[in-house]
């Protein structure tokens, strides 16, 4: 077994052991964040946007181990999400259903699972606003970079149904996000604010980053992953994907690689001043690693592909 494969197996075993312990200690609980090093049980913050990730891990563990017990857990933790395919209050339906029902559908091919994913895509598309974007949960005036991680479910639904209207809604959102939230240097704003009457863009803002003008690194990770995914989904739907989305993903990736420290685990915001909170964001690094790996499979140039793949592995080998 090669050192890389040994490390992969070790990581998979560690994740499995952590999940077994959590299921035994807190059965039925979906973890989101810790307080004082312990899972916090007081409830969700902001919105219920993380419930797909935990059962998504169970689906991945089943895929990579073949053990029936992981599938049983994956199904039991995924089923409570089914009614949320009609949840009109959030922009997070991609997070919820790509992690769970898409993996379930890929395993079985059941039409009822496809129908649930299509419903979720159509529900998210209803968040379209006059300014040509999908509104964040904050309100109809607000566009989040986070939505790039969710817009793919609309494209998936368009591919599954042949509904060109859905595809256009998704592409319009991506182009608006590219125009107003991605900066020339590849950095990203967290939020864009729009005039509801005219649809005009007003300003950049943030709920997560240091400032409206800074680059919150998890938002940048969302952009790398999200624009790459849009390019892939367009190709899988039989469309010739325009260069603009892959070019945007590469611009964002190059910004990250240019500004991140040697191990590629970033600070929570690239522009936080020296007297601001100096915190590392391993989640931003992990999302970026996944996005860089996907990006390496989409670019046509072998040298560039190797560069992105190497960067992804560099991040993943950090402890």
């Amino acid at each position: 077994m090669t050192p890389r494969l040994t490390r992969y197996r070790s990581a998979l075993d560690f994740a499995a052991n952590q999940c077994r312990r959590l299921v035994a200690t807190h059965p039925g609980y979906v973890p989101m964040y810790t307080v004082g090093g312990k899972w916090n049980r007081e409830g969700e913050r902001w919105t219920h946007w993380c419930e797909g990730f935990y059962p998504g891990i169970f689906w991945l563990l089943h895929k990579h181990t073949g053990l029936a017990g992981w599938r049983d857990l994956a199904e039991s933790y995924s089923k409570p999400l089914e009614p949320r395919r009609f949840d009109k209050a959030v922009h997070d339906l991609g997070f919820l259903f790509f992690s769970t029902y898409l993996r379930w559908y890929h395993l079985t091919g059941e039409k009822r699972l496809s129908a649930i994913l299509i419903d979720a895509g159509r529900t998210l598309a209803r968040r379209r606003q006059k300014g040509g974007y999908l509104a964040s949960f904050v309100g109809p005036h607000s566009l989040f970079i986070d939505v790039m991680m969710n817009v793919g479910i609309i494209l998936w639904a368009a591919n599954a149904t042949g509904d060109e209207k859905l595809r256009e809604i998704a592409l319009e959102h991506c182009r608006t996000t590219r125009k107003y939230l991605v900066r020339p240097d590849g950095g990203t704003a967290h939020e864009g604010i729009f005039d509801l009457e005219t649809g005009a863009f007003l300003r950049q803002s943030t709920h997560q980053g240091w400032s409206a003008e800074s680059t919150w690194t998890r938002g940048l990770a969302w952009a790398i992953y999200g624009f790459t995914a849009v390019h892939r989904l367009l190709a899988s739907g039989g469309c010739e994907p325009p260069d603009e989305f892959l070019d945007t993903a590469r611009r964002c990736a190059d910004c990250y690689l240019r500004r991140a420290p040697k191990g590629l685990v970033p600070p929570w915001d690239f522009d936080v001043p020296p007297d601001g909170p100096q915190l590392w964001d391993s989640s931003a690094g992990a999302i970026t690693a996944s996005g860089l790996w996907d990006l390496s499979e989409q670019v046509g140039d072998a040298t560039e592909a190797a560069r992105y793949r190497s960067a992804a592995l560099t991040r993943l080998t950090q402890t």
Side-chain angles (χ1 to χ4, degrees), residues 170-210:
L171 294 180
E172 179 186 55
H173 171 85
C174 296
R175 289 180 174 127
T176 301
T177 302
R178 177 180 183 268
K179 182 175 182 180
Y180 295 116
L181 297 191
V182 180
R183 303 187 180 108
D185 69 348
T188 52
H190 176 227
E191 183 183 36
I193 304 297
F194 291 77
D195 185 294
L196 290 180
E197 291 188 9
T198 66
F201 173 74
L202 299 177
R203 65 184 184 278
Q204 294 180 348
S205 181
T206 189
H207 294 271
Q208 300 277 29
W210 175 255

Side-chain angles (χ1 to χ4, degrees), residues 8 19 40 66 72 77 96 120 142 162 177 181 216 252 293 312 318:
Y8 161 75
C19 287
N40 188 63
D72 292 342
Y77 278 75
L96 296 177
S142 167
T177 302
L181 297 191
W216 172 52
C252 293
W293 189 272
Q318 301 305 300

Side-chain angles (χ1 to χ4, degrees), residues 245-269:
F245 301 128
L246 195 61
D247 289 347
T248 302
R250 294 179 66 179
R251 179 152 47 104
C252 293
D254 291 344
C255 174
Y256 184 98
L257 296 176
R258 185 174 65 249
R259 302 194 67 183
K262 183 177 180 181
L264 300 184
V265 179
W268 68 282
D269 192 299

Side-chain angles (χ1 to χ4, degrees), residues 13-82:
D13 291 343
F14 177 77
N17 288 334
Q18 291 291 89
C19 287
R20 289 189 188 99
R21 186 174 67 174
L22 186 55
V23 168
T25 306
H26 303 295
Y29 174 59
V30 177
M32 181 178 177
Y33 60 95
T34 58
V35 175
K38 296 182 178 180
W39 290 117
N40 188 63
R41 304 298 300 278
E42 71 185 39
E44 289 276 12
R45 300 289 178 90
W46 280 23
T47 66
H48 293 263
W49 68 284
C50 289
E51 281 88 341
F53 300 148
Y54 188 44
I57 294 171
F58 295 151
W59 284 112
L60 288 172
L61 287 169
H62 171 67
K63 177 181 179 180
H64 291 290
T65 68
L67 296 177
W70 290 123
R71 177 174 175 179
D72 292 342
L73 285 168
E75 290 192 16
S76 67
Y77 278 75
S78 296
K79 286 176 181 176
L81 296 175
E82 185 172 332

Side-chain angles (χ1 to χ4, degrees), residues 228-308:
T228 302
V230 166
H231 179 88
R232 183 182 66 249
L233 284 161
L234 286 171
S236 66
C239 301
E240 182 65 34
D243 292 338
E244 60 185 307
F245 301 128
L246 195 61
D247 289 347
T248 302
R250 294 179 66 179
R251 179 152 47 104
C252 293
D254 291 344
C255 174
Y256 184 98
L257 296 176
R258 185 174 65 249
R259 302 194 67 183
K262 183 177 180 181
L264 300 184
V265 179
W268 68 282
D269 192 299
F270 277 139
D271 300 298
V272 63
D275 59 345
Q278 304 299 312
L279 304 169
W280 300 106
D281 192 340
S282 59
S283 65
I287 298 157
T288 299
S290 184
L292 289 171
W293 189 272
D294 288 352
L295 185 56
S296 76
E297 296 179 337
Q298 296 300 311
V299 296
D301 183 85
T303 301
E304 285 295 279
R307 183 168 72 94
Y308 291 133

Side-chain angles (χ1 to χ4, degrees), residues 211-226:
S211 71
E213 297 77 28
S214 68
T215 293
W216 172 52
T217 54
R218 199 191 327 156
L220 181 59
W222 296 147
I224 296 167
Y225 189 107

